[in-house]
Amino acid sequence: FYPFYVFTAVRKFFFFLDPKRTGRIRIRDLLSSQIIIELFELRQEVPAQDPESNWFSMQSALKVYMAYLDMDADQNGMLSKSELSHYGSGMLTQVFIDRVFEEYQTYRDTETGEREMDYKTFLDFVLAMENKNSRQAIQYFWKLIDIHHQGWIDGFVINYFFRAVLLLLQTNIPQSNKKDVTFVDDVKDEIFDMAKAKTPGRITLQDLINCRQGGTVLSMLIDAAAFWRYDNRETLIVEPDPDDEDDLKG
């Protein structure tokens, strides 16, 4: 496990401090970052937070590594699209997963011909999923949702991603079948309002970063469970249910 712990620890530094993926980090950036503080917290006799919530702790690294192994159904050391679809609540859309494999480094399986993800690429994925509101995570997801590589997304792109969310909800939650085209348009309008786009009808990367709700917007477009929680947020505040995600999976 030691080599995988090293990969896990080092990957966070590069994910947050090397956004251009040069393979280098300036010492000044390293020493002034919050990440180094998180690492040094492990030296305290009484940790300031639960060890499992500290990325550099053995408990956290083992949790990520075990999640990878659990999803690797064929035990070939790599994750296919179908295997990655079981991440978290298992409610990430197929459209989103397809885009991950299109845009980020994968390797072709010589037997099946499928593209598969290695552990290092998986670590970037996990860091983005767990830090959605950070600039670095928003940049990670932007590469996936900007399907036309034009620097902005419009109503067509939002519909493209959200319809996949709606399909997943309809498959797993019977009452979601009542959602119609009007509902999709309402969600699209809400996303534009949340993003506070400077140019009407177009949302840019900078809009998502500046609006301070970029992580929520992205979750609504890629994760059916996250959207369900958002759409039912008022009910959940009144009647919190720790088993929400289990219910979603049926």
Side-chain angles (χ1 to χ4, degrees), residues 70-153:
D70 288 344
M71 286 187 288
D72 183 18
D74 60 9
Q75 299 183 350
N76 70 344
M78 308 280 277
L79 296 183
S80 64
K81 289 181 182 180
S82 62
E83 290 170 336
L84 185 64
S85 69
H86 296 290
Y87 177 84
S89 65
M91 294 284 279
L92 296 175
T93 69
Q94 190 60 51
V95 166
F96 168 63
I97 291 173
D98 287 345
R99 288 293 296 147
V100 172
F101 278 75
E102 288 170 7
E103 293 293 340
Y104 289 104
Q105 185 172 16
T106 55
Y107 303 87
R108 189 175 299 281
D109 185 292
T110 55
E111 294 184 6
T112 65
E114 277 192 83
R115 303 298 301 185
E116 296 196 319
M117 172 186 293
D118 70 355
Y119 187 62
K120 292 180 181 179
T121 303
F122 175 70
L123 289 173
D124 285 344
F125 177 83
V126 173
L127 285 163
M129 292 296 294
E130 292 187 355
N131 300 275
K132 287 194 188 78
N133 281 311
S134 69
R135 172 186 289 268
Q136 293 85 352
I138 292 174
Q139 289 173 329
Y140 176 96
F141 291 117
W142 180 258
K143 189 174 180 180
L144 305 176
I145 67 171
D146 182 16
I147 57 177
H148 299 304
H149 301 102
Q150 55 195 6
W152 49 267
I153 61 172

